[in-house]
Amino acid sequence: MSRIPRIVILGAGYGGIVTAIRLQKHLNYNEADVTLVNKHDYHYITTHLHMPAAGTDNPENSRVNISRLIDEFKVDFVKSTVMQIKPIEKKIILEDSTLSYDYLVVGLGGEPETFGIPGLQEHAMNIRSINSVRLIREHIEYQFAKYKGEPDRLDYLTFIVGGAGFTGIEFVGELADRIPNLCKKYDVDQKLVKIFSIEAAPNAMPGFDPELVEYATNVLTNKGVVFKLGTAIKECTAAGVELATGEFVKTTTVIWTGGIRGNHMLDQAGFATMRGRVKVDSFLRTTEYENVYVVGDCSIVMNPEGKPYPPSGQIATQQGETCAYNLIAAIRNTPPKEFKYINKGTVASLGKREAVGMVGTRKVKGNKAALLKKLVDMRYLYIIGGIPLVIRKGRF
Amino acid sequence: MSRIPRIVILGAGYGGIVTAIRLQKHLNYNEADVTLVNKHDYHYITTHLHMPAAGTDNPENSRVNISRLIDEFKVDFVKSTVMQIKPIEKKIILEDSTLSYDYLVVGLGGEPETFGIPGLQEHAMNIRSINSVRLIREHIEYQFAKYKGEPDRLDYLTFIVGGAGFTGIEFVGELADRIPNLCKKYDVDQKLVKIFSIEAAPNAMPGFDPELVEYATNVLTNKGVVFKLGTAIKECTAAGVELATGEFVKTTTVIWTGGIRGNHMLDQAGFATMRGRVKVDSFLRTTEYENVYVVGDCSIVMNPEGKPYPPSGQIATQQGETCAYNLIAAIRNTPPKEFKYINKGTVASLGKREAVGMVGTRKVKGNKAALLKKLVDMRYLYIIGGIPLVIRKGRF
């Protein structure tokens, strides 16, 4: 290559934005052309989205304009939607143009995994973007407004959350906090409102510490959440949800948090995938093309026992750092570094002033865990935007 | 009558609540039993409702708890829904009990008059209660949230207001003010939003001063409202509105403000009605039963030229005052007084800081008229709740 290499980053989620920010910090002048492509002109903080979805926080607190994070002299930002990845031609087809690359970073994020359950695609909403959580928030409030004109429609006041993983649990915690306010606002008897957390696995938060899971389900049960564990959803219709037990729960609101798969464009581009996710090598590259890196929910990284780490903002952030390092190494022809995930702790919020978490082998719960959650959030804001962003978006 | 007479007031709208308040003020101890029946435990200020409907004001500012207006030692308040009026038996059937009366005041308010236009009943919303305006507000915001997930659905961003009378005009003024905020909140290009004011009559605000009507339509046109005057709605469907011109406007939001009729229970009770409204005598009594009074939108009062006054909060308030006087006169066997409507001025708001009004023969417009509108609102608050209510609910 005699001209300077072109790096294209697809997606400004955790993995993509951190890659871009690290590249703009560490690349020298004229060492590479970096282009960041994203559907929106903002980055959003996916691990906050359960709050604006429930309406307990403003969606504005969960997003940051990309122009505030990116130095336009160093990184070109293209607001567009990716239509196709062509790794052989080293080209990206956008909805309105085409980009060529020498190095590609795919950070397109996940898509809801519905496991083929009929009707979920059509009738359930997902917590996965600013647009999707604004829809959920407005949908929920609209049900209260509609109920007042049709008081026999108790299905308007029944809320089903499919999946009791971290997102599902955090969302029901917020929703349970929101309900009393909505009841007051719309003169609705709180006893009529039902929140169901439905999970196919025998326990909530599968894989998490059992003692903390028990604490979490107790906190949420006391807030009025009804758990249906070990209960698969068989079908979702416009009228409600049929459970594997045969029970039919009438509802106009289903939020599906039961699973994440990788972006469908990776399959289409010919990469070997598992549920749309690409198993990357230890340098975060695809096995097919060593100039293509995958970060975040589209990638799979194995833990030392050979099992995939669950996708998370934390792992994506760390991948972005390693990915930027390895891109610079490739350009400079220096040795890349292996990706090693360091779990700095995992905290799930359970609504206001309640959370559960693990830091190393230490269990944290209650108000202390809720504070820890805030610290984790702020650390991420600091990583991407420094102190000014912590001050602007951190919720103290 | 040896026992003390029983007065039952149906409805706590303008007419009913003012009757009740005047009775509690002027009746002596043990002179009568007064019972006020209302569906909700609050009175609402119908002439404010265009604001919470558009979302430019909180619905709480348009209602007052009845317990704050009524002295429970003097007036019994029954929260219930009236099912049937039986004037021969002097009985009222409520959803859960029965009341007997010696004197009855019917102030049940109006119902939307759809003039038989197909689909309006099923697909249009109405500005007529706290519940209905909360529905409109949430419905509108929900359309913006839905649009972001289905960007080809421009019908989500098209708002049709049927009827350009006072309510329709005041509502489009508020809605036009709200749109820029909603566009900002949902990242929607404002150019995509359309507000149509559709009126079958050749002019907006039929019967109002032509110069002020022209001023009003200009103000609203500049705010982005598109008027289709002299254009009847032929049919309303779930997909939109078909106009008499043959044009079909796709929309998911139709607000019908085109007409008001009296409550259907008056027909059912055997009173002679015109569009559900009862032509009362000069003492506000029905011609069939001199112990039955009708006030507000359920009544018709003729002007000196023999034409009915259009229903308004102002006329209902004045009727309430006369009605209470005449009830006391009937009990005390003193002469009743004839109802004389005194038009103290009419003002229509056109959104923020804009209005048009007539006070006597004087025309007022712009900011001055908007201030006048506030004064009119406050005077009403003063009539029903005195200075404390003006301070609590008056929007300065």
Side-chain angles (χ1 to χ4, degrees):
Chain A
M1 273 175 241
S2 61
R3 59 173 179 77
I4 60 169
R6 284 192 199 137
I7 302 172
V8 171
I9 304 167
L10 303 182
Y14 290 92
I17 199 81
V18 171
T19 303
I21 287 167
R22 290 286 154 146
L23 286 179
Q24 81 179 2
K25 188 171 175 193
H26 296 293
L27 277 175
N28 295 322
Y29 177 70
N30 259 352
E31 219 175 351
D33 267 348
V34 181
T35 302
L36 173 66
V37 180
N38 197 52
K39 197 164 26 168
H40 310 292
D41 53 13
Y42 52 85
H43 162 75
Y44 53 81
I45 300 157
T46 310
T47 57
H48 281 188
L49 290 179
H50 57 283
M51 296 183 72
T56 51
D57 194 20
N58 188 326
E60 294 305 313
N61 289 333
S62 297
R63 68 174 173 179
V64 187
N65 280 339
I66 288 171
S67 63
R68 290 210 176 241
L69 304 175
I70 292 300
D71 178 346
E72 282 173 55
F73 289 102
K74 293 182 175 170
V75 174
D76 283 330
F77 171 61
V78 176
K79 181 178 177 243
S80 189
T81 300
V82 179
M83 306 306 284
Q84 204 186 339
I85 300 167
K86 295 189 151 185
I88 298 170
E89 294 99 317
K90 300 185 190 170
K91 277 195 183 347
I92 301 299
I93 313 297
L94 303 179
E95 56 179 344
D96 40 17
S97 61
T98 301
L99 291 175
S100 300
Y101 64 80
D102 299 306
Y103 298 96
L104 179 68
V105 179
V106 181
L108 288 168
E111 293 179 352
E113 173 61 88
T114 57
F115 304 109
I117 299 169
L120 275 187
Q121 198 86 45
E122 299 79 6
H123 301 294
M125 292 175 286
N126 303 286
I127 299 172
R128 66 189 193 111
S129 66
I130 295 289
N131 286 334
S132 78
V133 301
R134 288 193 295 214
L135 181 69
I136 292 171
R137 182 197 58 192
E138 291 310 313
H139 177 90
I140 290 170
E141 190 153 352
Y142 189 50
Q143 306 315 299
F144 278 81
K146 287 208 287 189
Y147 169 74
K148 291 303 287 186
E150 298 166 72
D152 51 328
R153 291 290 303 271
L154 286 169
D155 53 330
Y156 286 150
L157 301 181
T158 301
F159 302 97
I160 291 190
V161 181
F166 267 60
T167 306
I169 284 295
E170 291 193 308
F171 176 68
V172 293
E174 296 299 321
L175 185 58
D177 280 358
R178 180 91 201 286
I179 294 302
N181 298 329
L182 285 170
C183 286
K184 189 154 177 257
K185 191 167 171 187
Y186 289 92
D187 313 309
V188 167
D189 181 355
Q190 206 177 310
K191 288 194 292 291
L192 302 176
V193 181
K194 302 268 178 280
I195 303 174
F196 291 105
S197 172
I198 299 179
E199 169 62 51
N203 289 299
M205 307 170 89
F208 201 58
D209 177 81
E211 185 196 328
L212 293 179
V213 172
E214 198 193 330
Y215 179 86
T217 49
N218 284 342
V219 166
L220 295 172
T221 303
N222 289 338
K223 287 191 184 201
V225 177
V226 176
F227 284 92
K228 288 181 178 281
L229 304 172
T231 306
I233 290 178
K234 205 172 142 194
E235 189 175 355
C236 181
T237 72
V241 156
E242 191 184 342
L243 305 178
T245 56
E247 187 188 354
F248 189 86
V249 185
K250 284 188 192 174
T251 180
T252 49
T253 309
V254 181
I255 321 285
W256 176 248
T257 70
I260 286 285
R261 49 167 289 130
N263 191 290
H264 64 281
M265 273 180 280
L266 287 163
D267 288 314
Q268 288 171 0
F271 295 98
T273 62
M274 293 162 63
R275 296 201 181 279
R277 303 170 71 199
V278 173
K279 198 176 143 189
V280 289
D281 68 14
S282 57
F283 304 112
L284 300 176
R285 300 175 308 194
T286 63
T287 49
E288 293 93 346
Y289 304 91
E290 66 170 28
N291 65 332
V292 178
Y293 296 72
V294 188
V295 294
D297 291 359
C298 286
S299 72
I300 299 180
V301 176
M302 296 297 173
N303 69 14
E305 291 94 53
K307 279 192 177 170
Y309 285 113
S312 74
Q314 190 179 178
I315 197 166
T317 304
Q318 293 180 24
Q319 285 180 318
E321 291 171 353
T322 302
C323 181
Y325 183 96
N326 288 350
L327 284 164
I328 294 169
I331 288 164
R332 293 181 186 163
N333 225 346
T334 57
K337 99 180 156 187
E338 293 201 341
F339 177 69
K340 289 261 183 292
Y341 174 53
I342 300 159
N343 187 335
K344 292 179 178 166
T346 308
V347 195
S349 71
L350 308 168
K352 220 175 171 187
R353 274 183 236 116
E354 275 289 0
V356 286
M358 289 289 291
V359 183
T361 56
R362 209 176 139 214
K363 299 173 191 181
V364 209
K365 54 197 175 195
N367 200 17
K368 205 185 286 179
L371 284 171
L372 188 64
K373 174 83 180 175
K374 284 223 169 92
L375 285 176
V376 171
D377 289 350
M378 281 185 210
R379 185 175 60 189
Y380 176 68
L381 292 174
Y382 178 75
I383 289 170
I384 61 167
I387 298 282
L389 191 64
V390 177
I391 291 169
R392 259 190 328 115
K393 298 277 170 175
R395 282 159 293 128
F396 297 100
Chain B
M1 267 177 247
S2 61
R3 60 173 178 78
I4 62 170
R6 285 193 199 139
I7 302 172
V8 171
I9 304 167
L10 304 182
Y14 290 92
I17 199 81
V18 171
T19 303
I21 288 168
R22 292 285 153 148
L23 287 177
Q24 80 179 2
K25 191 173 174 192
H26 295 294
L27 277 175
N28 294 324
Y29 177 70
N30 261 351
E31 218 173 354
D33 266 347
V34 182
T35 302
L36 173 66
V37 180
N38 197 51
K39 194 160 35 164
H40 310 291
D41 53 12
Y42 52 83
H43 162 74
Y44 53 82
I45 300 157
T46 310
T47 57
H48 280 188
L49 290 179
H50 56 284
M51 297 184 73
T56 51
D57 194 20
N58 189 326
E60 294 306 312
N61 289 333
S62 297
R63 67 174 175 182
V64 186
N65 280 341
I66 288 171
S67 63
R68 290 209 176 242
L69 304 175
I70 292 299
D71 178 346
E72 283 171 56
F73 289 101
K74 295 185 175 169
V75 174
D76 281 330
F77 172 60
V78 175
K79 182 178 176 245
S80 189
T81 300
V82 179
M83 307 306 284
Q84 206 186 337
I85 301 166
K86 295 188 155 187
I88 298 170
E89 292 99 318
K90 299 186 193 170
K91 277 193 183 346
I92 302 299
I93 312 297
L94 304 180
E95 56 181 345
D96 39 16
S97 61
T98 300
L99 291 176
S100 301
Y101 64 80
D102 298 305
Y103 298 96
L104 179 68
V105 180
V106 181
L108 288 168
E111 294 179 351
E113 171 61 87
T114 57
F115 304 108
I117 300 169
L120 275 187
Q121 198 85 45
E122 299 80 5
H123 301 295
M125 292 176 287
N126 303 287
I127 299 172
R128 66 188 193 113
S129 66
I130 294 289
N131 285 335
S132 78
V133 301
R134 289 194 293 215
L135 182 68
I136 292 171
R137 182 196 59 191
E138 290 310 314
H139 178 90
I140 290 171
E141 190 153 352
Y142 190 49
Q143 305 314 301
F144 278 81
K146 287 208 287 186
Y147 170 74
K148 291 303 287 185
E150 299 167 71
D152 52 328
R153 292 290 303 270
L154 286 170
D155 54 331
Y156 286 150
L157 302 181
T158 301
F159 302 97
I160 290 190
V161 181
F166 267 60
T167 305
I169 285 295
E170 292 194 307
F171 176 68
V172 293
E174 296 300 321
L175 185 58
D177 281 357
R178 180 94 200 284
I179 294 302
N181 299 329
L182 285 171
C183 286
K184 189 155 177 256
K185 191 166 171 189
Y186 288 93
D187 312 310
V188 167
D189 180 355
Q190 206 177 311
K191 288 194 293 290
L192 301 176
V193 180
K194 302 267 177 284
I195 304 174
F196 292 105
S197 171
I198 298 179
E199 169 61 52
N203 290 299
M205 306 169 88
F208 201 58
D209 177 80
E211 186 197 328
L212 294 178
V213 172
E214 198 193 332
Y215 179 87
T217 48
N218 284 341
V219 165
L220 295 172
T221 303
N222 289 338
K223 286 189 184 202
V225 176
V226 176
F227 284 93
K228 287 180 180 283
L229 303 172
T231 306
I233 290 177
K234 204 171 143 194
E235 188 175 357
C236 180
T237 72
V241 155
E242 191 183 342
L243 304 179
T245 56
E247 188 189 355
F248 189 87
V249 185
K250 286 188 191 173
T251 181
T252 49
T253 309
V254 181
I255 320 287
W256 176 248
T257 69
I260 286 285
R261 49 166 289 129
N263 191 292
H264 64 280
M265 274 180 283
L266 287 163
D267 288 312
Q268 289 170 2
F271 295 98
T273 62
M274 293 160 63
R275 296 200 180 282
R277 304 169 72 199
V278 173
K279 199 177 144 189
V280 289
D281 69 13
S282 58
F283 304 112
L284 302 176
R285 301 175 306 194
T286 62
T287 48
E288 293 92 347
Y289 304 91
E290 66 170 29
N291 65 331
V292 178
Y293 297 72
V294 188
V295 294
D297 292 358
C298 286
S299 72
I300 298 180
V301 176
M302 296 299 173
N303 69 15
E305 291 94 54
K307 279 190 175 173
Y309 285 112
S312 74
Q314 193 180 176
I315 198 166
T317 305
Q318 293 180 24
Q319 285 179 318
E321 290 171 354
T322 302
C323 181
Y325 183 95
N326 289 349
L327 284 164
I328 295 170
I331 289 165
R332 294 183 187 160
N333 225 348
T334 57
K337 100 180 154 188
E338 293 204 342
F339 177 68
K340 288 262 182 294
Y341 174 53
I342 300 160
N343 186 335
K344 292 181 178 164
T346 308
V347 195
S349 71
L350 307 168
K352 219 174 173 186
R353 275 184 236 113
E354 277 289 359
V356 285
M358 290 289 292
V359 183
T361 56
R362 209 176 139 214
K363 299 173 190 180
V364 207
K365 54 196 175 196
N367 200 18
K368 206 184 286 179
L371 284 171
L372 188 65
K373 174 84 180 172
K374 284 221 169 93
L375 285 176
V376 171
D377 289 351
M378 282 186 212
R379 184 176 60 191
Y380 176 68
L381 292 174
Y382 178 75
I383 289 171
I384 62 168
I387 299 280
L389 191 63
V390 176
I391 291 168
R392 259 190 328 115
K393 299 278 171 175
R395 283 159 292 128
F396 297 99

